Amino acid sequence: RPEFDALRVDFHSFSGGAAMAEEVLERGDVLGLSGMITFQKADNVREVLPLTPRDRLLVETDAPYLAPAPYRGRPNRPAYVIEVLDRLARELGHEIGEVARMTTDNFFRTFPRAAALDAAL
């Protein structure tokens, strides 16, 4: 439907692999990366990184699920998003601060109402 064309979607806790990522990205949507990026066998999550424009990446928790390594098996907490950010930075070959700024900017672009609220504070 045309009225939805301008909407950007966050594919929360993305785990779809390369083929799905290509389709999602072609539509202009963003990929939300959760604790799965830190799982040893989650190559399907990491394989999408070379395909994904840097302005389409978000980091997120899925609390209380999908706690990142080294917290697997425990309830997830929002504070653990730093582990997701750290792994993403290492995968991209960038400093963690740079990736933190990038994903924060991506968040505010994806969710403009949050940006307006942040500016009002």
Side-chain angles (χ1 to χ4, degrees):
R1 294 175 48 182
E3 62 266 29
F4 297 125
D5 289 345
L7 292 178
R8 293 192 70 183
V9 175
D10 167 17
F11 274 76
H12 170 68
S13 199
F14 184 82
S15 64
M20 181 183 254
E22 287 175 347
E23 184 177 334
V24 165
L25 295 168
E26 185 176 308
R27 293 175 30 180
D29 297 327
V30 299
L31 304 181
L33 303 173
S34 69
M36 285 187 287
I37 195 173
T38 69
F39 297 176
Q40 188 175 30
K41 295 183 180 180
D43 292 331
N44 61 313
V45 176
R46 291 182 294 275
E47 76 180 358
V48 306
L49 297 177
L51 309 171
T52 307
R54 300 303 174 243
D55 66 343
R56 306 278 197 79
L57 291 169
L58 299 175
V59 293
E60 55 193 24
T61 62
D62 192 33
Y65 307 106
L66 301 173
Y71 304 104
R72 290 221 38 206
R74 301 182 209 167
N76 199 3
R77 298 176 180 208
Y80 298 164
V81 75
I82 191 71
E83 301 294 340
V84 177
L85 185 63
D86 178 62
R87 182 61 184 259
L88 178 59
R90 287 187 284 127
E91 292 291 328
L92 297 177
H94 296 296
E95 296 294 322
I96 194 169
E98 178 184 355
V99 176
R101 283 185 296 279
M102 174 189 74
T103 55
T104 298
D105 291 345
N106 294 347
F107 170 80
F108 285 124
R109 259 193 318 279
T110 303
F111 301 103
R113 290 183 74 186
L117 179 61
D118 184 59
L121 299 176

